[in-house]
Amino acid sequence: MRLTEEEQSLVSRRVAGLEARTGTQAVAAVIGKSDSYPEAPWKAFALGAALAVLYSTARSLIAHDWEAAESALQYAVVVLGSGAGLALLAVLFEPIARLFTDRRRRDLEVAQYAKSLFFDRGLDRTRGRIGILLLVSLFERKVVILADDGFESRIEQDDWQRLTDRMTLLLSRGNATGALHAGVE
């Protein structure tokens, strides 16, 4: 789910209002993914193949089907087809791909992406060191708020965490625009 032009315009106006009110430089961004996660289809293939072998073996044992040549060919078709099918689903559907990506890796990739964007946008070079990044990463369902050193004595860590939690809750409900609005407000 990407933001519409109208939603982008509204977020931009709210960011401009935040900057005017506080003197900070802010960037609000929604991204699709923080990384490509090429391992997801391979893990899906492996699971699909393993489940197919389990199914085929159980079926053969129950039916007492011990004819080796025919069974081996059937096993190969079922195993490879199931693995390929699940791998294709992981490529086509993000919720399935998310099942095959490690949560810690997703968190790490979003944090790395946020830091890179923070520095790329020059938020570390603002007067008073009061740059701030609000990042929503859709695939990972993760919100990151990065604030420069100038906020250290102004806003407590618990306040940042409450804001991040609120934004994450809105994102988990499919409301990326609402998450950004909550962060900017």
Side-chain angles (χ1 to χ4, degrees):
M1 177 203 102
R2 302 282 188 248
L3 298 183
T4 65
E5 283 187 35
E6 183 180 323
E7 290 170 327
Q8 290 174 12
S9 178
L10 182 58
V11 168
S12 294
R13 287 194 307 271
R14 288 194 177 195
V15 167
L18 170 68
E19 291 175 337
R21 282 191 323 270
T22 63
T24 186
Q25 182 178 344
V27 171
V30 175
I31 60 167
K33 278 184 175 181
S34 293
D35 192 39
S36 62
Y37 304 106
E39 73 276 11
W42 288 107
K43 287 181 177 181
F45 179 88
L47 179 64
L51 291 174
V53 165
L54 214 65
Y55 166 78
S56 296
T57 302
R59 195 183 95 210
S60 292
L61 289 174
I62 290 169
H64 300 290
D65 180 13
W66 298 103
E67 294 179 29
E70 188 177 325
S71 291
L73 181 59
Q74 288 175 349
Y75 283 159
V77 169
V78 169
V79 168
L80 296 176
S82 297
L86 198 51
L88 182 62
L89 290 174
V91 168
L92 296 176
F93 300 105
E94 287 188 348
I96 294 174
R98 197 173 14 262
L99 292 173
F100 293 100
T101 56
D102 182 68
R103 175 183 270 243
R104 289 173 294 182
R105 171 133 188 268
R106 290 191 315 255
D107 291 348
L108 180 68
E109 293 298 338
V110 174
Q112 181 179 331
Y113 189 97
K115 287 176 186 173
S116 174
L117 187 58
F118 187 87
F119 291 113
D120 285 349
R121 295 290 179 99
L123 295 172
D124 62 319
R125 296 186 303 266
T126 62
R127 185 184 315 182
R129 305 284 309 254
I130 53 172
I132 187 167
L133 170 69
L134 303 168
L135 177 71
V136 173
S137 190
L138 299 175
F139 175 81
E140 293 85 356
R141 295 183 180 165
K142 184 98 171 132
V143 171
V144 175
I145 301 173
L146 284 181
D148 209 348
D149 297 338
F151 285 101
E152 197 169 293
S153 62
R154 296 179 185 189
I155 300 175
E156 297 294 323
Q157 186 62 36
D158 289 344
D159 293 329
W160 287 123
Q161 189 59 52
R162 277 192 292 279
L163 178 57
T164 301
D165 292 344
R166 182 170 174 221
M167 291 175 69
T168 302
L169 178 63
L170 290 166
L171 179 60
S172 72
R173 294 179 178 163
N175 190 355
T177 305
L180 280 179
H181 290 225
V184 173
E185 292 304 315

